[in-house]
Amino acid sequence: MTAPITITADEVNCLIHAYFQDSGFQHSAFSLRMEGRLDHSHHVKKHIPRGELVELLSKALLYTEVEAHWKGDSLAKNCKSGFFLLDPHTCAVDSNATSLPPSHQSGELNTLKVSGETTVKRKSSTPSTEDGRAEKRTRKEVVNHDAAMAVDGPSRTATKEANVFESQQASSETVAKKTKTKRPEAVRLLQAHKTEVFVVAWNPSATGQLVSGSRDATVNYWNVPFGLQDTSLVSQLRPTVTLANFATTSQADLTSIDWNPDGSLVALGSYDSILRICTAGGKLYLTDNHHKGPIFAAKFSLSGQWIVTASLDSTSCVWDVKSKGLHRQYRNHEEACCLDVDWLDDYTFASGGSDRVVHIVSLNGTKPIRTLRGHTGELNMIKCNPSRTRLATCSDDTTARVWNVENIHSEKSASTHVTLKGHKHCLTSVKWCPNTPAGEHELLATASFDFTARLWDSVTGDCLKIFTDHTKHVFTLSFSPEGDQLATGGGDGSLYMYDVKARERIWSWTSGEKTSIFEIDWKKWEETSLIALAMEHKVVAIIDPVKLL
């Protein structure tokens, strides 16, 4: 007697929950976990391989193919029509049969490669969160950039953007010849984490001190020697301090690491909703569980007196670091998630969330002193420029915006902004160039799910360069401390480094694994400079830029 095949709703919920997490839909994952009471399920602790839902769906399509072609007649043997999850299959042998059905011709699909099988993933309306842990799977094909960058009309911006793209494509072979790739001695891997590493941050004052955090809520402190002269020393380097098992729940991914200005304290944001501040030596300085949802960001103010957090519970909180007490909780995003925060000055911060607005908040009040509107999708990141006069935001609506906040406290100040248009998918990161030569406009860079990073003139809104080397989503980017180079990392496990002035690729490195680079932190202490990468395959990669020369 054949054993019965059983599928329970609880198993399906756990499978979908894992898919949401892998795809970066953290809000949806959290909601399903709560509503489905998955913390009470014995299935939730089982290991679900990455991409398992897509893998099972691909097998379902194979079964559908067998079911449709079992007769083996000439029509079935010569069938050129594809198989899709949501469309019925009709055998066809004509040359047009391989085209996508109407429901798949609007551009709202991604072709994914999981464990060797090709499947189709429908676009979600909430594809990413602040921490950048979004779609991590391998694409089978590189995006057709000619189609992805196609202009929708004769506008000056679109035409100029097309010219930028065409000129860079024409010189791609020349750039490739100039690119340095074989410098393995410049890269070392730190191996101690047991799960994906999501965040890394260098101590701003202590040369070579690094903190990294992973999915299992483990925090490692490292002292990385500069120069990496002794290969054996670095390859065997172990953490000086490991903070583990401090999470209150199994869902405790590290989402944020931020040092205070003098490098004496480090703030840790976690999915277990608890704010933790530790010393440079790894001692716990402060814990607070005031938030009732995952903390996506925790950032010190410019002086280090305050720390502000952003949470899924729709609030932001400010703590007085010295007195170790909560200053105030702000509920300005109402029913929406608060996804990121940044400081304008020591008493004013900006918060953005899934309600598509930016609130400018003073520590002296409870309500926003200004609300910036314009985005039509969730805000994923907020960054203030070095002079604290302008604010950059990036969103799921495929745009970034630059807001004038120089006189934000004045009642007559206008909420003027410049919109940076051109990306074809949601944006994951936006960063300001740290140095701007006198008389020139400030530059900023953006990263996107459309496999590209872009360099922008923040004043005119012109796209100066489209970087198209990545073959998967671009999760993170960082300018060098001097602002003359730009590094990008993404789901293809590759790091690309570009010369900002020449706007050419100068170096690249890949881990050789099917992995993702989730975060880049590039720090300089006097004449010393090091790059740290948070990586999916449980390692922290350290790059010495001096060895790239």
Side-chain angles (χ1 to χ4, degrees):
M1 180 177 179
T2 304
I5 298 175
T6 60
I7 300 176
T8 67
D10 194 44
E11 288 177 308
V12 174
N13 285 340
C14 288
L15 188 61
I16 296 174
H17 177 263
Y19 166 76
F20 281 159
Q21 286 185 308
D22 289 346
S23 301
F25 307 149
Q26 300 297 338
H27 312 154
S28 301
F30 178 78
S31 298
L32 179 59
R33 191 183 188 94
M34 294 300 102
E35 294 181 14
R37 298 174 61 83
L38 298 188
D39 287 326
H40 300 284
S41 169
H42 67 280
H43 294 299
V44 78
K45 295 182 179 180
K46 294 180 179 179
H47 172 67
I48 299 177
R50 173 147 297 160
E52 184 69 6
L53 176 60
V54 180
E55 177 76 9
L56 292 174
L57 289 175
S58 70
K59 291 178 179 178
L61 283 178
L62 290 175
Y63 183 86
T64 302
E65 181 182 14
V66 172
E67 192 177 47
H69 292 164
W70 71 272
K71 292 181 179 180
D73 55 22
S74 60
L75 182 60
K77 289 180 178 180
N78 297 292
C79 178
K80 302 298 183 181
S81 181
F83 285 81
F84 303 94
L85 287 175
L86 302 181
D87 295 278
H89 175 77
T90 302
C91 287
V93 296
D94 62 282
S95 59
N96 295 323
T98 55
S99 62
L100 296 177
S103 61
H104 292 279
Q105 292 179 358
S106 62
E108 296 187 355
L109 60 87
N110 293 328
T111 302
L112 308 177
K113 182 181 179 184
V114 183
S115 302
E117 300 294 343
T118 303
T119 60
V120 175
K121 170 181 169 296
R122 287 172 51 188
K123 175 183 174 183
S124 168
S125 60
T126 56
S128 68
T129 58
E130 182 274 340
D131 61 355
R133 287 170 293 140
E135 174 54 50
K136 303 165 187 169
R137 311 228 180 74
T138 307
R139 291 217 178 193
K140 184 175 182 180
E141 300 173 353
V142 178
V143 150
N144 183 332
H145 290 293
D146 293 328
M149 303 302 167
V151 296
D152 297 323
S155 67
R156 169 185 169 274
T157 302
T159 302
K160 185 169 184 178
E161 179 182 302
N163 292 335
V164 169
F165 181 76
E166 289 172 4
S167 64
Q168 77 175 62
Q169 290 292 85
S171 62
S172 60
E173 293 184 3
T174 302
V175 173
K177 291 178 181 179
K178 296 179 181 178
T179 301
K180 301 177 182 179
T181 57
K182 295 183 179 180
R183 295 296 179 112
E185 71 276 10
V187 183
R188 295 294 177 264
L189 303 180
L190 307 183
Q191 302 180 23
H193 286 285
K194 297 179 180 179
T195 57
E196 301 96 321
V197 184
F198 287 141
V199 284
V200 289
W202 293 106
N203 187 316
S205 60
T207 305
Q209 184 178 29
L210 178 74
V211 171
S212 57
S214 55
R215 177 188 283 275
D216 60 0
T218 298
V219 177
N220 282 324
Y221 283 65
W222 310 84
N223 284 328
V224 181
F226 172 63
L228 308 182
Q229 294 93 344
D230 190 336
T231 302
S232 61
L233 173 63
V234 178
S235 62
Q236 298 174 14
L237 191 68
R238 306 304 299 170
T240 57
V241 177
T242 295
L243 305 179
N245 302 319
F246 60 65
T248 59
T249 69
S250 59
Q251 186 72 10
D253 311 21
L254 266 295
T255 60
S256 173
I257 297 179
D258 189 53
W259 289 91
N260 67 347
D262 65 10
S264 61
L265 297 172
V266 60
L268 307 172
S270 171
Y271 225 75
D272 71 354
S273 309
I274 297 178
L275 169 68
R276 296 174 179 86
I277 301 179
C278 299
T279 68
K283 301 294 183 181
L284 200 59
Y285 176 82
L286 166 68
T287 62
D288 195 293
N289 61 355
H290 206 83
H291 279 299
K292 303 307 177 186
I295 296 174
F296 291 139
K299 297 181 182 178
F300 283 100
S301 64
L302 306 181
S303 68
Q305 178 182 355
W306 312 98
I307 190 165
V308 62
T309 55
S311 173
L312 186 65
D313 66 8
S314 306
T315 73
S316 56
C317 286
V318 173
W319 281 267
D320 186 313
V321 176
K322 186 176 182 180
S323 67
K324 302 182 182 181
L326 179 69
H327 171 71
R328 185 167 289 145
Q329 186 170 29
Y330 300 85
R331 303 181 181 277
N332 297 318
H333 290 281
E334 299 178 356
E335 300 300 321
C337 309
C338 184
L339 299 177
D340 199 18
V341 287
D342 200 12
W343 292 92
L344 276 64
D345 56 49
D346 212 48
Y347 293 93
T348 312
F349 70 90
S351 66
S354 58
D355 55 359
R356 307 182 296 277
V357 301
V358 180
H359 292 306
I360 308 298
V361 183
S362 170
L363 300 192
N364 297 325
T366 58
K367 298 297 181 182
I369 60 175
R370 193 78 74 246
T371 297
L372 310 179
R373 304 180 187 277
H375 280 295
T376 58
E378 293 186 3
L379 275 76
N380 295 320
M381 186 173 287
I382 298 175
K383 288 292 181 183
C384 205
N385 67 345
S387 63
R388 325 310 290 184
T389 57
R390 294 194 296 158
L391 197 68
T393 55
C394 68
S395 168
D396 281 355
D397 65 9
T398 75
T399 73
R401 294 175 189 248
V402 180
W403 311 82
N404 179 16
V405 295
E406 186 172 12
N407 299 309
I408 202 68
H409 292 279
S410 171
E411 294 183 359
K412 296 182 180 180
S413 66
S415 300
T416 58
H417 69 272
V418 175
T419 303
L420 310 181
K421 297 181 180 180
H423 281 294
K424 305 303 178 184
H425 213 316
C426 64
L427 276 66
T428 57
S429 183
V430 59
K431 296 290 178 66
W432 290 92
C433 185
N435 290 316
T436 303
E440 296 186 11
H441 293 169
E442 283 185 296
L443 302 179
L444 57 80
T446 54
S448 171
F449 269 31
D450 65 7
F451 301 6
T452 73
R454 293 184 176 224
L455 187 68
W456 306 85
D457 183 317
S458 67
V459 176
T460 65
D462 289 336
C463 178
L464 305 177
K465 182 70 175 182
I466 307 169
F467 301 109
T468 60
D469 293 297
H470 285 285
T471 58
K472 296 184 188 175
H473 306 321
V474 185
F475 291 144
T476 181
L477 44 76
S478 176
F479 283 97
S480 64
E482 299 86 356
D484 58 341
Q485 295 176 343
L486 175 68
T488 64
D492 53 7
S494 296
L495 177 86
Y496 291 100
M497 194 175 296
Y498 303 95
D499 183 292
V500 172
K501 186 175 182 180
R503 299 166 194 167
E504 292 183 349
R505 191 177 79 193
I506 56 177
W507 189 75
S508 65
W509 172 79
T510 182
S511 65
E513 302 274 350
K514 292 183 178 180
T515 184
S516 297
I517 298 174
F518 293 133
E519 191 163 272
I520 302 172
D521 192 28
W522 194 336
K523 191 70 66 178
K524 184 176 183 180
W525 309 266
E526 297 180 353
E527 298 304 315
T528 300
S529 179
L530 290 173
I531 304 170
L533 310 179
M535 303 198 67
E536 184 180 0
H537 67 300
K538 308 174 187 179
V539 303
V540 177
I542 305 297
I543 298 175
D544 183 351
V546 173
K547 290 185 175 290
L548 304 182
L549 301 177

